Amino acid sequence: MAVRTLLESIRETLAEEMRRDPTMIVLGEDVGRKGGVFLTTDGLWAEFGEDRVIDTPLTESLIVGASIGAAVNGLRPVPEIQFADFIFPAFNQIVSEAARLRYRSNNAFGCPITIRAPYGGGVHGALYHSQSVEAYFTHVPGLKVVVPSTPYDARGLLRSAIRDPDPVLFFEHKKLYRSVRGEVPDTDYVVPLGRAQVTRPGDHVTVIAYGLMAHYSLEAAELVAGEGISVEVIDLRTLRPLDTETILGSVKKTGKCVIVYEDNRFGGYGAEVAAVLAEEAFDYLDGPVVRVAGPDVPGVPYSHTLEDWFMVDPDKIAAAVRRLAAY
Amino acid sequence: MATTGTRAAAAKGAAARRADLPFGPELGLRRDQLIEMYRLIATTRALDERMWVLNRAGKVPFVISGQGHEGAQVGLFFDLRRGHDWLVPYYRSVAACLTLGMTPREIMLAQFARADDPSSGGRQMPGHYGSAARNIMSQSSPVATQVLHAVGIALAAKIRRTDQVAVTELGEGASNQGDFHEGLNFAGIHRLPVIIVVENNGYAISVPASLETAVEDIASRAAGYAMPGVIVDGADVLACYRAGREAIARARRGDGPTLIEAKVTRLTAHSSDDQQTKYRTAADLAEGRQHDPLPRFRGELRDAGVLDGGLEERLAAEIKTVVDDATDWAESQPEPDPATAERYVYHEPEA
């Protein structure tokens, strides 16, 4: 079985899907000749040509808005927003148009687009190349939001997203692009949207995370294992729709839960997870539902001392797990 | 490139041309087509007036419509291929939707927000028309977002080589949004088969054009996108037809997009929730009525001998019957069932 980085897995999947589906196009800033600023689309322009791999102007709203129109007229666009931090000019097109098209037309129109965007901190990207923007979109009915953390999942989830008849936001953590490797089968497998995965079974505390934080949570679980704390780690993989069955099943077993996300703490995605647990697993809880998240400052600061202060890391997660385990 | 001149100048020019511009053969329009254009304009006006009556009678909570815009829409879009080309409408596109085949009954289903309303099943406010069967894109309320959808539809048409043309409409107020710029910029780069029609009625709700933009003509912005910018008098139906036909042919042969500015008048308030006498003078409103396309086109057809032998009266009677039928029929149709309100947030696989 081939071993791939997360980035290689995404790149190969894009190429495979374009070979499989002649209606698929890729469009975004620098996605063509350069192959993307991270080289995620490298080789696509050479293989599929400028009709299907389109270097756009610096116009995020156009990238998404034209994708909506193209989807309505028979194509399957996979637009790229170069950094998730720059998705906001397209917010109106995503939230007012793509998300609402099927509902507002009473199913007469659909919007099969997959919007890819690199996100996340820990890469010296400062305020405007580090953001986690998922919470803005998980709030919106009509959208699906996916965050892969492994090369295997990235391939299977990206296939599901591209083949999905509705708009999907596909957030790829920049720090994982080249730092994580894993086995990726050559088969045409898919990972269904809306299914979380227990990545480490345990008994005392459930840790729920996604993206880079799914890896850090596994490291934290290892840190406390020697202290007799058995941690169950769940990688959500899809944030909307949320796999409530898997998280409720785990928390009802352990009675304690830490939710980890690198976005700002207040109103972040973890708040919804906490609310679900409070409403549906209250009788099983043996301690407060705890969030470990980014501090409430308007962005990840640049200097490495400041960035380290901002970022959630395995030690911070482990500290929260110890406190909760002792509760 | 005709990118200068005020509405009055355009009207004057059109009137001067009229003397030596006979109907029919020189425009490639047959008598029956002229009658059809008139029928569309007059039917739209009658439907529109009925909407306001229904609103004032308390039967529908809201009206937004296009009285004064009908001549431009019918003229500009009459040469489109129905069911093949795409219309990406806005909230004043009643005449455009009828031109592409929507029926008065379907318009009234939207007014009454009935379950079988093809635009939205009663989910959207009236005026948000769409019809998948007729390639009329569903629309939202944020303005100018639809320009990018038309551009994307045209992009797909070019890539798929479907020979389709996409047209979209917006007001001059919406033309100040960023999506307008982003869309025209991209359409210009790729020479997409798209026609962007700005219907300039001089007001963005209450804000006059002089406070919306520093340029006299929205069409002059076309220079920034390397596409033709064409000004037409929206009350001159045949001038609109000619401009539309040229732009459609240009798009169809792969020569790229056109920005058309139709100088129109807004005969009603912005919507049923607006009172335009608060911000428009009596003289301004009276001047606007001088640019009503319906009596002007009617007069032209009379002069040309098209509306003769009692045809005008027969059409008026037919239209009244059609509007009465559409109103009564739509009102009698069932309302949406709240049990369906959670459906179609996402695709639902066939059972």
PDB file of all heavy atoms in Angstrom, chain A residues 51 59 61-62 66 69-70 73 93 97 102-104 107 142-143 166, chain B residues 86 120 123 138 140 145 149 152-153 160 164 179 182 341 344 346-347:
ATOM      1  N   ASP A  51      -8.974  24.919 -19.644  1.00  0.00           N
ATOM      2  CA  ASP A  51     -10.433  24.945 -19.533  1.00  0.00           C
ATOM      3  C   ASP A  51     -10.907  24.379 -18.196  1.00  0.00           C
ATOM      4  O   ASP A  51     -11.930  24.794 -17.663  1.00  0.00           O
ATOM      5  CB  ASP A  51     -11.066  24.110 -20.662  1.00  0.00           C
ATOM      6  CG  ASP A  51     -11.458  24.971 -21.857  1.00  0.00           C
ATOM      7  OD1 ASP A  51     -11.099  26.166 -21.860  1.00  0.00           O
ATOM      8  OD2 ASP A  51     -12.098  24.438 -22.778  1.00  0.00           O
ATOM      9  N   THR A  59     -10.231  37.284  -6.723  1.00  0.00           N
ATOM     10  CA  THR A  59     -11.650  37.609  -6.560  1.00  0.00           C
ATOM     11  C   THR A  59     -12.358  36.410  -5.922  1.00  0.00           C
ATOM     12  O   THR A  59     -12.931  35.575  -6.613  1.00  0.00           O
ATOM     13  CB  THR A  59     -12.287  37.890  -7.940  1.00  0.00           C
ATOM     14  OG1 THR A  59     -11.909  36.819  -8.827  1.00  0.00           O
ATOM     15  CG2 THR A  59     -11.825  39.193  -8.532  1.00  0.00           C
ATOM     16  N   SER A  61     -15.073  36.165  -4.177  1.00  0.00           N
ATOM     17  CA  SER A  61     -16.514  36.056  -4.388  1.00  0.00           C
ATOM     18  C   SER A  61     -16.807  35.455  -5.763  1.00  0.00           C
ATOM     19  O   SER A  61     -17.702  34.619  -5.910  1.00  0.00           O
ATOM     20  CB  SER A  61     -17.165  37.432  -4.245  1.00  0.00           C
ATOM     21  OG  SER A  61     -18.565  37.317  -4.218  1.00  0.00           O
ATOM     22  N   LEU A  62     -16.034  35.879  -6.758  1.00  0.00           N
ATOM     23  CA  LEU A  62     -16.188  35.315  -8.112  1.00  0.00           C
ATOM     24  C   LEU A  62     -15.865  33.825  -8.113  1.00  0.00           C
ATOM     25  O   LEU A  62     -16.573  33.038  -8.757  1.00  0.00           O
ATOM     26  CB  LEU A  62     -15.266  36.081  -9.071  1.00  0.00           C
ATOM     27  CG  LEU A  62     -15.064  35.658 -10.534  1.00  0.00           C
ATOM     28  CD1 LEU A  62     -14.144  34.479 -10.750  1.00  0.00           C
ATOM     29  CD2 LEU A  62     -16.379  35.446 -11.243  1.00  0.00           C
ATOM     30  N   ALA A  66     -19.076  32.092  -9.370  1.00  0.00           N
ATOM     31  CA  ALA A  66     -19.035  31.462 -10.695  1.00  0.00           C
ATOM     32  C   ALA A  66     -19.130  29.947 -10.572  1.00  0.00           C
ATOM     33  O   ALA A  66     -19.702  29.280 -11.445  1.00  0.00           O
ATOM     34  CB  ALA A  66     -17.761  31.864 -11.434  1.00  0.00           C
ATOM     35  N   GLY A  69     -22.799  29.103 -10.420  1.00  0.00           N
ATOM     36  CA  GLY A  69     -23.405  29.156 -11.749  1.00  0.00           C
ATOM     37  C   GLY A  69     -22.984  27.982 -12.615  1.00  0.00           C
ATOM     38  O   GLY A  69     -23.803  27.370 -13.304  1.00  0.00           O
ATOM     39  N   ALA A  70     -21.699  27.667 -12.568  1.00  0.00           N
ATOM     40  CA  ALA A  70     -21.196  26.552 -13.379  1.00  0.00           C
ATOM     41  C   ALA A  70     -21.826  25.236 -12.932  1.00  0.00           C
ATOM     42  O   ALA A  70     -22.137  24.370 -13.762  1.00  0.00           O
ATOM     43  CB  ALA A  70     -19.675  26.486 -13.284  1.00  0.00           C
ATOM     44  N   ASN A  73     -25.203  24.849 -14.307  1.00  0.00           N
ATOM     45  CA  ASN A  73     -25.208  24.545 -15.739  1.00  0.00           C
ATOM     46  C   ASN A  73     -24.314  23.349 -16.079  1.00  0.00           C
ATOM     47  O   ASN A  73     -23.677  23.328 -17.128  1.00  0.00           O
ATOM     48  CB  ASN A  73     -24.794  25.775 -16.552  1.00  0.00           C
ATOM     49  CG  ASN A  73     -25.207  25.677 -18.021  1.00  0.00           C
ATOM     50  OD1 ASN A  73     -26.093  24.892 -18.381  1.00  0.00           O
ATOM     51  ND2 ASN A  73     -24.560  26.461 -18.864  1.00  0.00           N
ATOM     52  N   GLN A  93     -21.646  34.711  -0.998  1.00  0.00           N
ATOM     53  CA  GLN A  93     -21.948  33.698  -2.009  1.00  0.00           C
ATOM     54  C   GLN A  93     -22.130  32.316  -1.376  1.00  0.00           C
ATOM     55  O   GLN A  93     -22.981  31.533  -1.802  1.00  0.00           O
ATOM     56  CB  GLN A  93     -20.834  33.646  -3.073  1.00  0.00           C
ATOM     57  CG  GLN A  93     -20.842  34.833  -4.029  1.00  0.00           C
ATOM     58  CD  GLN A  93     -22.028  34.808  -4.998  1.00  0.00           C
ATOM     59  OE1 GLN A  93     -22.672  33.775  -5.204  1.00  0.00           O
ATOM     60  NE2 GLN A  93     -22.324  35.946  -5.603  1.00  0.00           N
ATOM     61  N   GLU A  97     -26.110  32.196  -0.985  1.00  0.00           N
ATOM     62  CA  GLU A  97     -26.421  31.569  -2.278  1.00  0.00           C
ATOM     63  C   GLU A  97     -26.240  30.048  -2.240  1.00  0.00           C
ATOM     64  O   GLU A  97     -27.215  29.312  -2.337  1.00  0.00           O
ATOM     65  CB  GLU A  97     -25.549  32.202  -3.372  1.00  0.00           C
ATOM     66  CG  GLU A  97     -25.678  33.725  -3.462  1.00  0.00           C
ATOM     67  CD  GLU A  97     -27.066  34.187  -3.898  1.00  0.00           C
ATOM     68  OE1 GLU A  97     -27.787  33.424  -4.554  1.00  0.00           O
ATOM     69  OE2 GLU A  97     -27.418  35.336  -3.564  1.00  0.00           O
ATOM     70  N   ARG A 102     -30.819  25.172  -2.760  1.00  0.00           N
ATOM     71  CA  ARG A 102     -31.758  24.043  -2.839  1.00  0.00           C
ATOM     72  C   ARG A 102     -33.038  24.350  -2.053  1.00  0.00           C
ATOM     73  O   ARG A 102     -34.143  24.139  -2.543  1.00  0.00           O
ATOM     74  CB  ARG A 102     -31.114  22.762  -2.317  1.00  0.00           C
ATOM     75  CG  ARG A 102     -31.996  21.542  -2.510  1.00  0.00           C
ATOM     76  CD  ARG A 102     -31.361  20.269  -1.974  1.00  0.00           C
ATOM     77  NE  ARG A 102     -30.115  19.915  -2.631  1.00  0.00           N
ATOM     78  CZ  ARG A 102     -30.016  19.330  -3.823  1.00  0.00           C
ATOM     79  NH1 ARG A 102     -31.098  19.031  -4.503  1.00  0.00           N
ATOM     80  NH2 ARG A 102     -28.838  19.051  -4.343  1.00  0.00           N
ATOM     81  N   TYR A 103     -32.853  24.885  -0.840  1.00  0.00           N
ATOM     82  CA  TYR A 103     -34.019  25.125   0.000  1.00  0.00           C
ATOM     83  C   TYR A 103     -34.929  26.196  -0.597  1.00  0.00           C
ATOM     84  O   TYR A 103     -36.138  26.047  -0.657  1.00  0.00           O
ATOM     85  CB  TYR A 103     -33.582  25.538   1.404  1.00  0.00           C
ATOM     86  CG  TYR A 103     -34.721  25.597   2.390  1.00  0.00           C
ATOM     87  CD1 TYR A 103     -35.230  24.439   2.971  1.00  0.00           C
ATOM     88  CD2 TYR A 103     -35.315  26.813   2.719  1.00  0.00           C
ATOM     89  CE1 TYR A 103     -36.283  24.484   3.864  1.00  0.00           C
ATOM     90  CE2 TYR A 103     -36.382  26.864   3.612  1.00  0.00           C
ATOM     91  CZ  TYR A 103     -36.861  25.699   4.181  1.00  0.00           C
ATOM     92  OH  TYR A 103     -37.920  25.740   5.051  1.00  0.00           O
ATOM     93  N   ARG A 104     -34.302  27.271  -1.059  1.00  0.00           N
ATOM     94  CA  ARG A 104     -35.128  28.392  -1.524  1.00  0.00           C
ATOM     95  C   ARG A 104     -35.837  28.081  -2.837  1.00  0.00           C
ATOM     96  O   ARG A 104     -36.819  28.735  -3.180  1.00  0.00           O
ATOM     97  CB  ARG A 104     -34.270  29.654  -1.673  1.00  0.00           C
ATOM     98  CG  ARG A 104     -33.422  29.709  -2.947  1.00  0.00           C
ATOM     99  CD  ARG A 104     -32.649  31.009  -3.017  1.00  0.00           C
ATOM    100  NE  ARG A 104     -32.005  31.165  -4.302  1.00  0.00           N
ATOM    101  CZ  ARG A 104     -30.783  31.661  -4.472  1.00  0.00           C
ATOM    102  NH1 ARG A 104     -30.065  32.015  -3.434  1.00  0.00           N
ATOM    103  NH2 ARG A 104     -30.279  31.786  -5.676  1.00  0.00           N
ATOM    104  N   ASN A 107     -36.024  22.552  -3.985  1.00  0.00           N
ATOM    105  CA  ASN A 107     -35.371  21.394  -4.611  1.00  0.00           C
ATOM    106  C   ASN A 107     -35.298  21.479  -6.137  1.00  0.00           C
ATOM    107  O   ASN A 107     -34.898  20.519  -6.790  1.00  0.00           O
ATOM    108  CB  ASN A 107     -36.064  20.089  -4.217  1.00  0.00           C
ATOM    109  CG  ASN A 107     -35.138  18.887  -4.314  1.00  0.00           C
ATOM    110  OD1 ASN A 107     -33.943  19.001  -4.015  1.00  0.00           O
ATOM    111  ND2 ASN A 107     -35.658  17.766  -4.752  1.00  0.00           N
ATOM    112  N   GLY A 142     -27.614  23.686   5.140  1.00  0.00           N
ATOM    113  CA  GLY A 142     -27.400  23.678   3.697  1.00  0.00           C
ATOM    114  C   GLY A 142     -25.950  23.449   3.333  1.00  0.00           C
ATOM    115  O   GLY A 142     -25.641  23.069   2.209  1.00  0.00           O
ATOM    116  N   LEU A 143     -25.056  23.722   4.289  1.00  0.00           N
ATOM    117  CA  LEU A 143     -23.632  23.474   4.064  1.00  0.00           C
ATOM    118  C   LEU A 143     -23.210  22.191   4.776  1.00  0.00           C
ATOM    119  O   LEU A 143     -23.794  21.818   5.798  1.00  0.00           O
ATOM    120  CB  LEU A 143     -22.782  24.627   4.610  1.00  0.00           C
ATOM    121  CG  LEU A 143     -22.992  26.001   3.995  1.00  0.00           C
ATOM    122  CD1 LEU A 143     -22.088  27.029   4.685  1.00  0.00           C
ATOM    123  CD2 LEU A 143     -22.727  25.977   2.493  1.00  0.00           C
ATOM    124  N   ASP A 166     -24.454  18.462  -2.741  1.00  0.00           N
ATOM    125  CA  ASP A 166     -24.634  19.735  -2.035  1.00  0.00           C
ATOM    126  C   ASP A 166     -23.284  20.401  -1.771  1.00  0.00           C
ATOM    127  O   ASP A 166     -22.238  19.762  -1.873  1.00  0.00           O
ATOM    128  CB  ASP A 166     -25.377  19.484  -0.715  1.00  0.00           C
ATOM    129  CG  ASP A 166     -26.817  19.068  -0.949  1.00  0.00           C
ATOM    130  OD1 ASP A 166     -27.532  19.839  -1.623  1.00  0.00           O
ATOM    131  OD2 ASP A 166     -27.209  17.979  -0.513  1.00  0.00           O
TER     132      ASP A 166
ATOM    133  N   TRP B  86     -30.004  30.912 -20.824  1.00  0.00           N
ATOM    134  CA  TRP B  86     -30.269  31.086 -19.385  1.00  0.00           C
ATOM    135  C   TRP B  86     -30.624  32.524 -19.060  1.00  0.00           C
ATOM    136  O   TRP B  86     -29.987  33.462 -19.552  1.00  0.00           O
ATOM    137  CB  TRP B  86     -29.028  30.716 -18.573  1.00  0.00           C
ATOM    138  CG  TRP B  86     -28.906  29.252 -18.314  1.00  0.00           C
ATOM    139  CD1 TRP B  86     -28.283  28.326 -19.093  1.00  0.00           C
ATOM    140  CD2 TRP B  86     -29.400  28.542 -17.167  1.00  0.00           C
ATOM    141  NE1 TRP B  86     -28.360  27.072 -18.514  1.00  0.00           N
ATOM    142  CE2 TRP B  86     -29.034  27.183 -17.336  1.00  0.00           C
ATOM    143  CE3 TRP B  86     -30.113  28.918 -16.029  1.00  0.00           C
ATOM    144  CZ2 TRP B  86     -29.368  26.205 -16.389  1.00  0.00           C
ATOM    145  CZ3 TRP B  86     -30.435  27.953 -15.086  1.00  0.00           C
ATOM    146  CH2 TRP B  86     -30.063  26.602 -15.279  1.00  0.00           C
ATOM    147  N   SER B 120     -40.361  28.759  -5.749  1.00  0.00           N
ATOM    148  CA  SER B 120     -39.831  28.425  -4.423  1.00  0.00           C
ATOM    149  C   SER B 120     -40.784  27.603  -3.558  1.00  0.00           C
ATOM    150  O   SER B 120     -40.481  27.368  -2.395  1.00  0.00           O
ATOM    151  CB  SER B 120     -39.473  29.720  -3.669  1.00  0.00           C
ATOM    152  OG  SER B 120     -40.629  30.327  -3.123  1.00  0.00           O
ATOM    153  N   ARG B 123     -41.679  29.490  -0.437  1.00  0.00           N
ATOM    154  CA  ARG B 123     -40.668  29.722   0.599  1.00  0.00           C
ATOM    155  C   ARG B 123     -40.092  31.133   0.532  1.00  0.00           C
ATOM    156  O   ARG B 123     -39.648  31.671   1.543  1.00  0.00           O
ATOM    157  CB  ARG B 123     -39.540  28.694   0.447  1.00  0.00           C
ATOM    158  CG  ARG B 123     -40.002  27.308   0.827  1.00  0.00           C
ATOM    159  CD  ARG B 123     -38.954  26.233   0.604  1.00  0.00           C
ATOM    160  NE  ARG B 123     -39.421  24.982   1.204  1.00  0.00           N
ATOM    161  CZ  ARG B 123     -38.663  23.925   1.434  1.00  0.00           C
ATOM    162  NH1 ARG B 123     -37.395  23.932   1.085  1.00  0.00           N
ATOM    163  NH2 ARG B 123     -39.161  22.848   1.996  1.00  0.00           N
ATOM    164  N   SER B 138     -32.836  30.394  -9.961  1.00  0.00           N
ATOM    165  CA  SER B 138     -33.399  30.869  -8.691  1.00  0.00           C
ATOM    166  C   SER B 138     -32.613  32.073  -8.191  1.00  0.00           C
ATOM    167  O   SER B 138     -31.398  32.136  -8.330  1.00  0.00           O
ATOM    168  CB  SER B 138     -33.319  29.729  -7.665  1.00  0.00           C
ATOM    169  OG  SER B 138     -33.473  30.213  -6.348  1.00  0.00           O
ATOM    170  N   SER B 140     -31.920  35.246  -5.090  1.00  0.00           N
ATOM    171  CA  SER B 140     -31.993  35.584  -3.675  1.00  0.00           C
ATOM    172  C   SER B 140     -32.329  37.067  -3.539  1.00  0.00           C
ATOM    173  O   SER B 140     -32.677  37.717  -4.516  1.00  0.00           O
ATOM    174  CB  SER B 140     -30.655  35.284  -2.993  1.00  0.00           C
ATOM    175  OG  SER B 140     -29.653  36.124  -3.527  1.00  0.00           O
ATOM    176  N   THR B 145     -25.379  39.462  -6.505  1.00  0.00           N
ATOM    177  CA  THR B 145     -24.807  38.114  -6.394  1.00  0.00           C
ATOM    178  C   THR B 145     -25.070  37.316  -7.665  1.00  0.00           C
ATOM    179  O   THR B 145     -24.268  36.482  -8.063  1.00  0.00           O
ATOM    180  CB  THR B 145     -25.413  37.363  -5.200  1.00  0.00           C
ATOM    181  OG1 THR B 145     -26.842  37.398  -5.298  1.00  0.00           O
ATOM    182  CG2 THR B 145     -24.991  37.979  -3.878  1.00  0.00           C
ATOM    183  N   HIS B 149     -23.403  34.288 -10.865  1.00  0.00           N
ATOM    184  CA  HIS B 149     -24.033  33.032 -11.302  1.00  0.00           C
ATOM    185  C   HIS B 149     -24.175  33.021 -12.823  1.00  0.00           C
ATOM    186  O   HIS B 149     -23.936  31.992 -13.464  1.00  0.00           O
ATOM    187  CB  HIS B 149     -25.405  32.860 -10.640  1.00  0.00           C
ATOM    188  CG  HIS B 149     -25.340  32.957  -9.149  1.00  0.00           C
ATOM    189  ND1 HIS B 149     -26.423  33.223  -8.361  1.00  0.00           N
ATOM    190  CD2 HIS B 149     -24.286  32.845  -8.294  1.00  0.00           C
ATOM    191  CE1 HIS B 149     -26.054  33.256  -7.097  1.00  0.00           C
ATOM    192  NE2 HIS B 149     -24.763  33.037  -7.025  1.00  0.00           N
ATOM    193  N   GLY B 152     -20.834  32.257 -14.200  1.00  0.00           N
ATOM    194  CA  GLY B 152     -20.515  30.839 -14.049  1.00  0.00           C
ATOM    195  C   GLY B 152     -21.294  29.963 -15.022  1.00  0.00           C
ATOM    196  O   GLY B 152     -20.762  28.986 -15.559  1.00  0.00           O
ATOM    197  N   ILE B 153     -22.554  30.315 -15.231  1.00  0.00           N
ATOM    198  CA  ILE B 153     -23.353  29.583 -16.221  1.00  0.00           C
ATOM    199  C   ILE B 153     -22.731  29.728 -17.609  1.00  0.00           C
ATOM    200  O   ILE B 153     -22.622  28.760 -18.366  1.00  0.00           O
ATOM    201  CB  ILE B 153     -24.812  30.100 -16.192  1.00  0.00           C
ATOM    202  CG1 ILE B 153     -25.522  29.588 -14.932  1.00  0.00           C
ATOM    203  CG2 ILE B 153     -25.573  29.679 -17.452  1.00  0.00           C
ATOM    204  CD1 ILE B 153     -26.866  30.248 -14.660  1.00  0.00           C
ATOM    205  N   ARG B 160     -18.411  23.527 -21.920  1.00  0.00           N
ATOM    206  CA  ARG B 160     -19.179  22.380 -22.429  1.00  0.00           C
ATOM    207  C   ARG B 160     -19.577  22.558 -23.889  1.00  0.00           C
ATOM    208  O   ARG B 160     -20.156  21.666 -24.490  1.00  0.00           O
ATOM    209  CB  ARG B 160     -20.434  22.171 -21.567  1.00  0.00           C
ATOM    210  CG  ARG B 160     -20.146  21.757 -20.130  1.00  0.00           C
ATOM    211  CD  ARG B 160     -21.431  21.708 -19.300  1.00  0.00           C
ATOM    212  NE  ARG B 160     -22.441  20.865 -19.933  1.00  0.00           N
ATOM    213  CZ  ARG B 160     -23.747  21.090 -19.913  1.00  0.00           C
ATOM    214  NH1 ARG B 160     -24.218  22.158 -19.273  1.00  0.00           N
ATOM    215  NH2 ARG B 160     -24.578  20.304 -20.530  1.00  0.00           N
ATOM    216  N   GLN B 164     -24.917  28.016 -25.513  1.00  0.00           N
ATOM    217  CA  GLN B 164     -25.894  28.775 -24.723  1.00  0.00           C
ATOM    218  C   GLN B 164     -25.383  30.192 -24.449  1.00  0.00           C
ATOM    219  O   GLN B 164     -24.180  30.432 -24.371  1.00  0.00           O
ATOM    220  CB  GLN B 164     -26.135  28.102 -23.365  1.00  0.00           C
ATOM    221  CG  GLN B 164     -26.854  26.770 -23.422  1.00  0.00           C
ATOM    222  CD  GLN B 164     -26.714  26.046 -22.103  1.00  0.00           C
ATOM    223  OE1 GLN B 164     -25.625  25.847 -21.595  1.00  0.00           O
ATOM    224  NE2 GLN B 164     -27.851  25.640 -21.546  1.00  0.00           N
ATOM    225  N   ASP B 179     -19.587  42.345  -6.463  1.00  0.00           N
ATOM    226  CA  ASP B 179     -19.846  41.189  -7.333  1.00  0.00           C
ATOM    227  C   ASP B 179     -20.026  41.616  -8.790  1.00  0.00           C
ATOM    228  O   ASP B 179     -19.703  40.856  -9.710  1.00  0.00           O
ATOM    229  CB  ASP B 179     -21.083  40.415  -6.866  1.00  0.00           C
ATOM    230  CG  ASP B 179     -20.760  39.455  -5.720  1.00  0.00           C
ATOM    231  OD1 ASP B 179     -19.570  39.352  -5.360  1.00  0.00           O
ATOM    232  OD2 ASP B 179     -21.692  38.825  -5.197  1.00  0.00           O
ATOM    233  N   GLU B 182     -16.424  42.035 -10.020  1.00  0.00           N
ATOM    234  CA  GLU B 182     -15.737  40.745 -10.132  1.00  0.00           C
ATOM    235  C   GLU B 182     -16.286  39.938 -11.310  1.00  0.00           C
ATOM    236  O   GLU B 182     -15.544  39.261 -12.021  1.00  0.00           O
ATOM    237  CB  GLU B 182     -15.862  39.945  -8.826  1.00  0.00           C
ATOM    238  CG  GLU B 182     -15.115  40.594  -7.667  1.00  0.00           C
ATOM    239  CD  GLU B 182     -14.924  39.679  -6.460  1.00  0.00           C
ATOM    240  OE1 GLU B 182     -15.094  38.449  -6.599  1.00  0.00           O
ATOM    241  OE2 GLU B 182     -14.587  40.193  -5.380  1.00  0.00           O
ATOM    242  N   ALA B 341     -41.631  21.698   5.674  1.00  0.00           N
ATOM    243  CA  ALA B 341     -40.723  22.849   5.807  1.00  0.00           C
ATOM    244  C   ALA B 341     -39.275  22.460   6.079  1.00  0.00           C
ATOM    245  O   ALA B 341     -38.367  23.275   5.884  1.00  0.00           O
ATOM    246  CB  ALA B 341     -41.214  23.791   6.911  1.00  0.00           C
ATOM    247  N   TYR B 344     -35.525  19.409   1.816  1.00  0.00           N
ATOM    248  CA  TYR B 344     -34.660  20.027   0.805  1.00  0.00           C
ATOM    249  C   TYR B 344     -33.679  21.043   1.370  1.00  0.00           C
ATOM    250  O   TYR B 344     -33.333  22.009   0.708  1.00  0.00           O
ATOM    251  CB  TYR B 344     -35.502  20.625  -0.323  1.00  0.00           C
ATOM    252  CG  TYR B 344     -36.480  19.637  -0.905  1.00  0.00           C
ATOM    253  CD1 TYR B 344     -37.827  19.934  -1.037  1.00  0.00           C
ATOM    254  CD2 TYR B 344     -36.037  18.371  -1.296  1.00  0.00           C
ATOM    255  CE1 TYR B 344     -38.716  19.007  -1.541  1.00  0.00           C
ATOM    256  CE2 TYR B 344     -36.924  17.436  -1.802  1.00  0.00           C
ATOM    257  CZ  TYR B 344     -38.263  17.763  -1.931  1.00  0.00           C
ATOM    258  OH  TYR B 344     -39.146  16.835  -2.426  1.00  0.00           O
ATOM    259  N   TYR B 346     -30.926  19.639   2.208  1.00  0.00           N
ATOM    260  CA  TYR B 346     -29.922  18.919   1.424  1.00  0.00           C
ATOM    261  C   TYR B 346     -30.648  18.032   0.414  1.00  0.00           C
ATOM    262  O   TYR B 346     -31.858  17.834   0.502  1.00  0.00           O
ATOM    263  CB  TYR B 346     -29.053  18.039   2.340  1.00  0.00           C
ATOM    264  CG  TYR B 346     -28.274  18.817   3.373  1.00  0.00           C
ATOM    265  CD1 TYR B 346     -28.757  18.933   4.681  1.00  0.00           C
ATOM    266  CD2 TYR B 346     -27.084  19.452   3.057  1.00  0.00           C
ATOM    267  CE1 TYR B 346     -28.053  19.652   5.636  1.00  0.00           C
ATOM    268  CE2 TYR B 346     -26.374  20.179   4.004  1.00  0.00           C
ATOM    269  CZ  TYR B 346     -26.866  20.276   5.287  1.00  0.00           C
ATOM    270  OH  TYR B 346     -26.186  21.001   6.231  1.00  0.00           O
ATOM    271  N   HIS B 347     -29.873  17.505  -0.505  1.00  0.00           N
ATOM    272  CA  HIS B 347     -30.411  16.545  -1.466  1.00  0.00           C
ATOM    273  C   HIS B 347     -31.053  15.369  -0.728  1.00  0.00           C
ATOM    274  O   HIS B 347     -30.512  14.878   0.254  1.00  0.00           O
ATOM    275  CB  HIS B 347     -29.274  16.043  -2.356  1.00  0.00           C
ATOM    276  CG  HIS B 347     -29.648  14.896  -3.234  1.00  0.00           C
ATOM    277  ND1 HIS B 347     -30.455  15.045  -4.342  1.00  0.00           N
ATOM    278  CD2 HIS B 347     -29.354  13.585  -3.152  1.00  0.00           C
ATOM    279  CE1 HIS B 347     -30.619  13.873  -4.916  1.00  0.00           C
ATOM    280  NE2 HIS B 347     -29.962  12.973  -4.220  1.00  0.00           N
TER     281      HIS B 347
END
